[in-house]
Amino acid sequence: MKKPILTLLLAASMAGAAAQPSKEAVRRAIDECAAYAVGVLLDENGKSRCDYNLTLGEWYPYEEPWHTGQLVLGLLEAYKATGNRAWLNGARRGGDWWLTLEIKDNPRLKGMVGATHGDVIGNDQIVFATVSDGTPGIFELSRVTGDKRYATLATSAAKWMLENLYYPEEGVCYDLADLATGEVLKLGSPFHGGKPDQTLFDVSRPNTEGSLFKDAYEFSGDERFRDAHILLCDALIRFQDEHGLWMDFMPNHKAEGSFHPRFNLWYAESLLECYDLTGDRRYLEAAARTARTYAAAQRRDGTMFYDNYINGRPADKGSVCGSEVALAGILWMRLTGYGFDEFAANVDRSADWLVKNRFSTEHPDPNLRGAVVNTRMRFRKGTMWMTQRDVGTSFGLRFLSAYLRQLEK
């Protein structure tokens, strides 16, 4: 009987021991990445510059609220690992910009944040994940500094989203709300262009990325948030396929068999948060299923690519995804801590890769010095759109800081 393709890939990826970088090398990588984040990635207003077009030599915005929030989280983790207050001050700059997103002049959206997507759908729609993917850093900033303004705003946004976007009967949250009117888009999503007859899963997802409702519960004590996080994680288990993925939801592409480099990992991370909240091993086992598929996608040298497939098609090597290496590493590291020793080699591979695959601090282009490699190749109107993205560095900081603490135990 033939073994499934993912089983074969996993066996290959796990073959051989992985190199473990030294504490000194990891610490140096953290400092160089954090210096890049503070000195280059955060602009004069404190928000992330996001995507650097390598052919044009120009920066372009892309979902700034979550990109900035992840930079905040990465810098906070670097501060906790090294004690360097420059990284804490950088995180504060990002958090202070996040505070400017509060909507104060629209009664329909009072207390919400104007977290719009930009890029292909413009800035007319608030996107659930654009909020929730940024809030882990915002909540953590309040924990680290004791300044409650950041978590208060994030919780206020969570309350609006719970009351307007949450659809518990189906285990999902709607994705979009109109920035001007607050109207929730329930019949069609611009993410799907002109697709006719859109269904519920085209306009909604479980949307547990960032574990917004869990963080809001822990800050506010409001049990509704706790119940929502658990209900949505139960839905994740229900909707998860045999590969540990959520192929019914974008930005996975079920028809092509391709899965997104971070989306499923975020869901799996939220399942670990639910395990911590409840002690129910169902969430732990579901997260491990996701982790195994990403372990199968990691090369023996630690490399991971943006486009991966479950149908046997080789990964597209056009885009090298450092943020996937880091976020998968975070998931593997946590699972190893829960006793899943099968992922230990993957953790070391991620660490070794992130230490080695960064732009030199002497690079001739100052926009790249110290960044974790995270390239993305796309085409727009016949023009190559080749970018180096900030997320490699922000997620790299999270992983490397956790890895350093592990080495120091």
Side-chain angles (χ1 to χ4, degrees), residues 124-250:
D124 298 325
Q125 310 292 339
I126 297 170
V127 181
F128 193 110
T130 306
V131 180
S132 64
D133 289 346
T135 53
I138 304 309
F139 280 107
E140 186 65 13
L141 189 56
S142 283
R143 295 186 194 105
V144 172
T145 65
D147 187 335
K148 294 182 178 181
R149 291 179 302 153
Y150 308 109
T152 296
L153 177 58
T155 301
S156 174
K159 181 174 181 292
W160 193 94
M161 294 161 81
L162 185 74
E163 293 173 350
N164 293 274
L165 299 175
Y166 181 45
Y167 188 2
E169 293 81 2
E170 296 293 338
V172 294
C173 297
Y174 288 105
D175 289 321
L176 296 136
D178 189 275
L179 180 61
T181 66
E183 179 185 359
V184 177
L185 276 65
K186 297 182 178 181
L187 300 178
S189 167
F191 283 117
H192 296 285
K195 179 183 176 182
D197 304 319
Q198 293 188 30
T199 67
L200 179 65
F201 285 0
D202 293 316
V203 297
S204 69
R205 302 184 296 181
N207 274 317
T208 60
E209 295 167 70
S211 300
L212 170 61
F213 291 149
K214 177 179 182 284
D215 279 334
Y217 161 67
E218 291 179 341
F219 177 73
S220 69
D222 188 336
E223 293 283 344
R224 293 181 302 163
F225 291 130
R226 181 183 187 276
D227 294 343
H229 184 75
I230 294 172
L231 183 146
L232 293 170
C233 285
D234 286 340
L236 284 183
I237 293 176
R238 215 165 52 244
F239 299 145
Q240 190 181 50
D241 69 11
E242 67 272 23
H243 305 296
L245 306 176
W246 291 272
M247 296 300 292
D248 288 326
F249 304 101
M250 65 160 201

Side-chain angles (χ1 to χ4, degrees), residues 271-346:
L271 288 168
L272 293 187
E273 294 297 318
C274 203
Y275 171 70
D276 288 345
L277 190 64
T278 65
D280 188 333
R281 285 192 63 89
R282 291 183 305 128
Y283 306 117
L284 197 58
E285 298 293 344
R289 285 193 288 274
T290 310
R292 291 186 184 106
T293 289
Y294 279 84
Q298 188 180 42
R299 300 299 176 99
R300 290 187 63 181
D301 67 356
T303 304
M304 302 185 80
F305 300 106
Y306 187 93
D307 289 310
N308 301 284
Y309 299 88
I310 56 173
N311 56 12
R313 177 178 168 182
D316 182 347
K317 297 180 182 180
S319 300
V320 177
C321 198
S323 57
E324 182 181 18
V325 175
L327 185 54
I330 290 167
L331 182 67
W332 292 325
M333 198 183 313
R334 287 187 66 175
L335 284 165
T336 301
Y338 293 125
F340 289 80
D341 294 337
E342 66 193 271
F343 301 118
N346 295 99

